[in-house]
Amino acid sequence: MTLIDVHLTPDYASRALREDVRAGLTADEKWLPPKWFYDARGSELFEEITRLPEYYPTRAEREILQNRAGDIAAITKAHTLVELGSGSSEKTRLLLDGLRERGTLTTFVPLDVSESALREASDAINADYPELDVHGVVGDFTAHLDKLPGDPPRIVAFLGGTIGNLLPAERETFYASIRDVLERGEWLLLGTDLVKDPATLVAAYDDSAGVTAEFNRNVLRVINRQLGADFDVDAFSHVAIWDAENEWIEMRLRADRAMRVLIPEVHLEVDFAEGEELHTEISAKFNRQRVEGELDKAGFAPAAWWTDSEARFALSLWQAV
């Protein structure tokens, strides 16, 4: 059985894009949030990135799930799996398989901002796991966690290292919001990329084939299409740097020449100087001490910490206390 709850208005995405473009492109240091990479083309590019030789996180997390899904099921005995993000990936299925084999899982709850993507993913899971109730939620994980259905004990999975896209203050708010909606004894499963040598990290975000560069520039194509802007997309170079002080990768777009960009739908004219950079994403990297400190502050106790065979990526399990 498939149910879909919709908590976003039809104009949610367009309104949010307008607000972000106004705020980000009028700031002293221009920025745009990474969620706007992901139109249909952006999603295709990201899937291509996950298959690149330089991009290790997806393979590393998959390895952990292949080896540990059964352990996750045995520890949590979860009745409900909540996934923040896509509900149709191979990694999701590894987790579903482990929980199903344990015999406790009854409900899968995928949450996503895209109703079309969520319905497609939910239908695919329902077809392959007919014994499960699939109860999708169209919502934003920064605003609608209190709308999550499902019988306890629930396990909320936030995979792929996406937590690294949030600034420290945003992570604190996010962890607290999850803890607020979980009952004591329920679970959080978290994927975090680990600090490693800068060369490996930079290569993962600046691949030799240029796929990540196209992915980064895609945010400009989204603004051109949806807001009528006239960005010369090819006049921006992809930049990925390692910030050792903050322990994160920064992705930027650097203007190759001076230009003025018109964005009619938000009544903006934006000037770029030659060499000026537009910040588009951070991807924070972690160590165990930092993750434990942040989750302890939010009201979680550590239950398990696993890494892949090369200790590049961690999957950790936390219990609400």
Side-chain angles (χ1 to χ4, degrees), residues 39-64:
D39 63 352
R41 176 58 177 154
S43 297
E44 290 173 0
L45 286 167
F46 184 71
E47 286 302 312
E48 190 174 343
I49 287 169
T50 66
R51 297 189 291 268
L52 293 169
E54 297 98 329
Y55 194 80
Y56 60 86
T58 301
R59 292 188 297 275
E61 189 177 46
R62 183 187 302 125
E63 176 193 321
I64 303 169

Side-chain angles (χ1 to χ4, degrees), residues 91-316:
K91 290 184 296 185
T92 305
R93 290 164 185 267
L94 290 170
L95 198 49
L96 284 170
D97 289 343
L99 290 163
R100 182 171 64 173
E101 289 170 12
R102 181 72 186 182
T104 60
L105 189 69
T106 61
T107 307
F108 175 55
V109 180
L111 181 146
D112 201 283
V113 295
S114 169
E115 182 173 352
S116 60
L118 186 77
R119 289 188 182 278
E120 182 178 350
S122 297
D123 288 344
I125 293 294
N126 187 58
D128 293 340
Y129 299 83
E131 76 283 4
L132 288 182
D133 289 333
V134 179
H135 194 154
V137 176
V138 180
D140 187 329
F141 68 72
T142 65
H144 299 108
L145 292 180
D146 61 332
K147 307 297 185 183
L148 296 176
D151 294 328
R154 295 171 295 176
I155 177 171
V156 175
F158 196 42
L159 304 177
T162 307
I163 189 66
N165 295 148
L166 304 182
L167 292 165
E170 294 171 332
R171 293 199 301 269
E172 182 175 352
T173 298
F174 172 71
Y175 291 140
S177 65
I178 291 182
R179 179 60 190 89
D180 284 346
V181 302
L182 292 181
E183 297 179 10
R184 183 182 177 92
E186 293 190 306
W187 305 91
L188 169 65
L189 182 67
L190 183 67
T192 47
D193 196 10
L194 301 178
V195 173
K196 56 188 68 65
D197 67 284
T200 298
L201 287 165
V202 171
Y205 293 84
D206 193 9
D207 61 277
S208 58
V211 181
T212 310
E214 282 303 297
F215 177 66
N216 196 7
R217 283 190 285 263
N218 196 60
V219 70
L220 304 182
R221 295 189 178 93
V222 169
I223 296 171
N224 281 353
R225 186 182 68 252
Q226 297 195 21
L227 300 182
D230 62 354
F231 276 103
D232 180 353
V233 176
D234 294 330
F236 286 83
S237 295
H238 168 67
V239 178
I241 63 167
W242 170 243
D243 182 331
E245 180 179 355
N246 289 305
E247 294 188 315
W248 64 46
I249 288 281
E250 278 193 19
M251 293 207 324
R252 307 171 183 174
L253 291 169
R254 179 181 294 151
D256 297 333
R257 58 174 174 82
M259 69 188 86
R260 172 166 290 178
V261 178
L262 304 181
I263 312 174
E265 291 293 321
V266 290
H267 309 292
L268 272 185
E269 294 184 2
V270 182
D271 289 319
F272 285 85
E274 182 179 353
E276 184 176 357
E277 293 181 341
L278 167 64
H279 295 244
T280 54
E281 183 180 74
I282 68 160
S283 184
K285 309 305 170 185
F286 298 87
N287 55 45
R288 185 169 182 171
Q289 181 179 9
R290 177 185 293 183
V291 177
E292 288 184 346
E294 291 183 357
L295 270 295
D296 176 74
K297 184 177 180 180
F300 289 91
W305 176 275
W306 301 292
T307 69
D308 65 293
S309 56
E310 297 181 45
R312 299 167 295 178
F313 196 96
L315 198 65
S316 52

